[in-house]
Amino acid sequence: MTELYNFSGIGRIEASARYASYRRFEVSVGTTEVLPLVYGPEVAEPEGADSPPPDSLPSAEPPPPLPPTTTAELEMMPTPEPVGAIGTLLRKAGDYVVRYEEAFRNVLAVEDSDQQYDEVVRKTSFARKPDGHVTAHYAGDTRRTTRKLRSEIAFAMLPGPVPWTAFREVFEVDGRAVGERGRFERLFRESPSSGVQPALAISRDSHRYGLGFPNRGASVPTMALAFLHPDNRDRFTFEPRSRRAKSGNAAEVAFTEVGRPTLTLDGAGADLPARGRLLLREDDGAVLRTEVEFRSAGSNGRSLRVTTEYRPDSGLALLAPAEMKEVYETAADAEAGWGGGGTESPRPTPTGDRLETTARYSGFHRVGPGSRP
C-alpha cells in the first residue's frame, strides 16, 4: 500500500507498507455487565438535607430554537502529483499491461532473425628459456559465424508472475527449408491449452538451429511487460528519465529489480536481477519500447541485453513487438556487476564469446476456437 499526503504550508508525507506472513485467527466475544457512566465530578449533598419537592423547583424556559443547518457532501479533491513523480504513469502502464495480457495471447507471427556469433578460439604456445624453464603464452582469435533463421512464433500465456511465453518452429535456415511449417497453427486452433506441451517440444527441437550459447533459452520479446504488472511492480524501483522529443508524448522510466528471489533465475538457479529502461506513452501508459539487462555473477558470468520496439499492427489493432535486439556475452567484470554485489559496471567487458541477434516480426494473427483461418 502506498500513501501520499500533501498538506498546504506543512509539507509532503509519503508512506509505503508491505504485508507478509498472513495467517488466520479466531475471536470469541463474551458478555459482561456494563456499569452506568458518570460524567463530571460528583457533588456530595450535606447530611440531613432534604430534596425540595418537585413543585418548588423553578420552571426552566425552553431553549431557543437552533438555526437551520445545511449539510454538504464531502468532496474528495485529488492531490496534484509533484513535478517529476511517475506514480500516475506507472498505474496507467500497469492497467495497460493487464489489458494487453488478454489481447495479446494465442497470437502467431513470422520471425526473421539475423544472428552473428563471435567465438573466441584460444591458442596456447610454449617456449623454453635458456635456463630450462618452460613458459606458456595464451592468445585468442575471434571466429565469426552468421546465420539467418525464419521461424513461426507463437505467443501464449502461462501461469506465474512472468506469464509471457514464446514458442518457435524454425522452417528456414539461410534460405534453405527445414522442418514443417504450420504445426503451431493447427495446435493452437484446436485447443490453445492442450497445445502448449507439443509446442514446447517443437520449440526445444528448433534450438539446434541457433548459434552459440545452446542453453540460453527461448527469447521472449514481451517479457519485460511483466515488470509493470501491478502484482510485480513492488519488486522494482522506478525513476523518471529525460523525455524523448522524437517520441512525442512519451516519458522514459528507469527500473531496477530489488525483490528477492528475482523473477528470472540463471541456469544454476541463482538470482538474475533485471534493470533497464521503459518508454511509456503518458496518455494511457502504453509501452513503446523496453530495454532490459541481466547480469549473472561469478568469474564466468554472462550478460544479456534485450531491446524491444513496439509499433501499431493493423491486424491486431494494438501495439505489437516489431523488432527485438539481443546481445549475449561473457563479462570480465561479472563479479562486480549487478548480480555480484560489487561496484556497478554500466557495460560488460567482453572477453569471450558474443552473440548478437536482430529479430523482426510480421504477419500477426490470432488463433484459437472461433478465429478465422
Side-chain angles (χ1 to χ4, degrees):
M1 176 181 65
T2 301
E3 299 174 282
L4 176 63
Y5 302 91
N6 281 330
F7 299 96
S8 177
I10 298 178
R12 177 174 178 266
I13 299 176
E14 184 173 356
S16 297
R18 296 176 176 83
Y19 305 93
S21 300
Y22 286 97
R23 57 191 185 276
R24 291 185 173 91
F25 60 90
E26 296 182 357
V27 177
S28 61
V29 180
T31 59
T32 183
E33 181 182 357
V34 179
L35 300 178
L37 300 180
V38 178
Y39 297 93
E42 297 183 357
V43 179
E45 295 183 358
E47 296 183 2
D50 296 330
S51 299
D55 295 340
S56 63
L57 294 176
S59 60
E61 296 182 358
L66 297 176
T69 59
T70 58
T71 60
E73 293 184 1
L74 180 63
E75 184 178 1
M76 303 297 291
M77 301 295 294
T79 302
E81 193 170 54
V83 177
I86 55 175
T88 299
L89 179 59
L90 290 177
R91 286 191 292 272
K92 290 180 180 179
D95 294 340
Y96 172 83
V97 168
V98 171
R99 298 192 303 270
Y100 200 89
E101 285 184 352
E102 295 299 322
F104 195 78
R105 64 169 64 201
N106 302 330
V107 170
L108 295 186
V110 174
E111 179 186 68
D112 290 285
S113 174
D114 295 326
Q115 299 185 356
Q116 177 180 294
Y117 181 46
D118 293 332
E119 183 181 10
V120 175
V121 181
R122 295 172 175 83
K123 298 180 180 180
T124 305
S125 59
F126 299 92
R128 184 180 297 276
K129 293 184 177 181
D131 59 3
H133 289 86
V134 177
T135 60
H137 177 71
Y138 301 93
D141 295 332
T142 301
R143 180 173 57 195
R144 173 168 293 180
T145 308
T146 60
R147 182 167 295 175
K148 291 181 178 292
L149 301 180
R150 201 152 202 241
S151 311
E152 186 178 45
I153 183 170
F155 295 93
M157 304 291 291
L158 297 179
V162 184
W164 303 100
T165 306
F167 305 104
R168 286 175 178 80
E169 181 173 21
V170 177
F171 61 84
E172 193 174 291
V173 179
D174 292 332
R176 176 176 56 91
V178 297
E180 178 185 354
R181 184 178 180 180
R183 286 191 287 180
F184 286 166
E185 185 84 30
R186 295 191 296 271
L187 286 174
F188 286 91
R189 186 174 301 283
E190 295 173 0
S191 176
S193 58
S194 62
V196 169
Q197 290 302 322
L200 181 60
I202 294 172
S203 186
R204 287 174 175 169
D205 183 63
S206 290
H207 286 176
R208 57 194 171 102
Y209 296 112
L211 294 177
F213 303 109
N215 296 324
R216 62 187 175 93
S219 304
V220 184
T222 54
M223 177 187 61
L225 297 181
F227 304 160
L228 288 167
H229 194 283
D231 292 343
N232 298 329
R233 206 163 48 213
D234 287 346
R235 304 177 62 87
F236 296 83
T237 59
F238 297 90
E239 296 179 3
R241 288 290 185 262
S242 59
R243 301 171 187 269
R244 296 185 178 183
K246 66 177 183 179
S247 300
N249 186 25
E252 191 176 80
V253 177
F255 67 90
T256 302
E257 187 174 8
V258 295
R260 296 295 184 273
T262 56
L263 293 177
T264 305
L265 304 177
D266 65 10
D271 287 336
L272 201 62
R275 68 182 302 171
R277 297 181 297 177
L278 307 164
L279 189 63
L280 307 176
R281 193 163 60 196
E282 292 187 297
D283 291 341
D284 57 0
V287 181
L288 306 178
R289 185 181 187 187
T290 63
E291 300 176 11
V292 58
E293 183 165 359
F294 303 93
R295 178 81 65 85
S296 63
S299 58
N300 295 323
R302 291 174 177 175
S303 67
L304 165 63
R305 296 194 300 274
V306 183
T307 302
T308 303
E309 298 277 356
Y310 292 84
R311 300 190 187 104
D313 183 83
S314 57
L316 297 179
L318 50 74
L319 293 172
E323 182 179 279
M324 176 182 67
K325 293 184 178 181
E326 302 172 285
V327 176
Y328 295 85
E329 58 188 344
T330 56
D333 54 356
E335 291 183 338
W338 296 328
T343 304
E344 176 181 317
S345 176
R347 283 290 180 267
T349 303
T351 60
D353 302 343
R354 185 178 190 273
L355 174 65
E356 184 172 346
T357 301
T358 300
R360 298 175 179 86
Y361 303 93
S362 60
F364 288 99
H365 62 284
R366 294 184 176 88
V367 292
S371 61
R372 296 181 180 181

